Amino acid sequence: MSKILLIDDEFDFSDLTKTMLEFHDFDVSSLNDPIQVVEHIKNEKYDLIVTDLMMPNIDGFEVIRRVRELDDYKDVPLIVLSAKVLNDEERKFLLQNNVHFLVKPFEPHGLVEQIQNLLGDA
């Protein structure tokens, strides 16, 4: 069973998304405080990370930077779920860090399909 970490400061959204992914047989943990991410993933190995971009304290871009600095997470698939309209620099950053982007609101099946494709579980 693939382990997924979901990072989003909106409790209702993360609970709903977690439940939906668990329905599709993924083992999902969620964090609502992005500051905890690095310490959390040092102690737990995930196959894929899903994060929001617009969060308090540190944004999703900083989360991605911190995750990619860890040797165990340099190649772990990352998906961003966000309603943010990206500028060219932000799009370039996501491309350079091999991050996939889905616009909120998103089609639940589209997220599941994206995860399955990235993990080779399709």
Side-chain angles (χ1 to χ4, degrees):
M1 181 182 301
S2 296
K3 290 184 69 168
I4 296 173
L5 177 61
L6 175 64
I7 308 157
D8 197 301
D9 61 307
E10 295 179 29
F11 292 94
D12 291 342
F13 177 81
S14 60
D15 285 346
L16 182 64
T17 304
K18 182 178 188 293
T19 300
M20 185 263 306
L21 292 174
E22 288 173 338
F23 177 78
H24 289 277
D25 295 324
F26 294 110
D27 179 5
V28 182
S29 298
S30 63
L31 287 177
N32 297 107
D33 182 357
I35 290 178
Q36 300 173 348
V37 170
V38 170
E39 201 56 42
H40 183 81
I41 65 176
K42 283 181 180 178
N43 300 312
E44 193 76 37
K45 180 65 176 150
Y46 291 95
D47 301 304
L48 183 137
I49 296 174
V50 178
T51 187
D52 188 15
L53 285 180
M54 298 182 290
M55 297 181 285
N57 302 317
I58 64 170
D59 64 14
F61 295 105
E62 184 60 25
V63 167
I64 293 164
R65 279 185 201 92
R66 292 179 183 189
V67 166
R68 288 297 191 225
E69 287 175 354
L70 300 172
D71 287 339
D72 288 343
Y73 285 90
K74 288 191 183 306
D75 297 319
V76 168
L78 281 162
I79 297 175
V80 164
L81 300 176
S82 184
K84 183 176 184 357
V85 176
L86 301 176
N87 63 38
D88 289 341
E89 184 178 316
E90 292 166 334
R91 276 195 287 285
K92 183 178 178 182
F93 173 82
L94 294 180
L95 283 170
Q96 289 173 334
N97 283 281
N98 196 25
V99 177
H100 301 266
F101 185 85
L102 288 176
V103 177
K104 284 183 182 177
F106 61 93
E107 178 65 38
H109 180 72
L111 175 59
V112 170
E113 189 174 275
Q114 177 86 312
I115 290 170
Q116 289 172 333
N117 287 338
L118 289 170
L119 295 177
D121 295 338

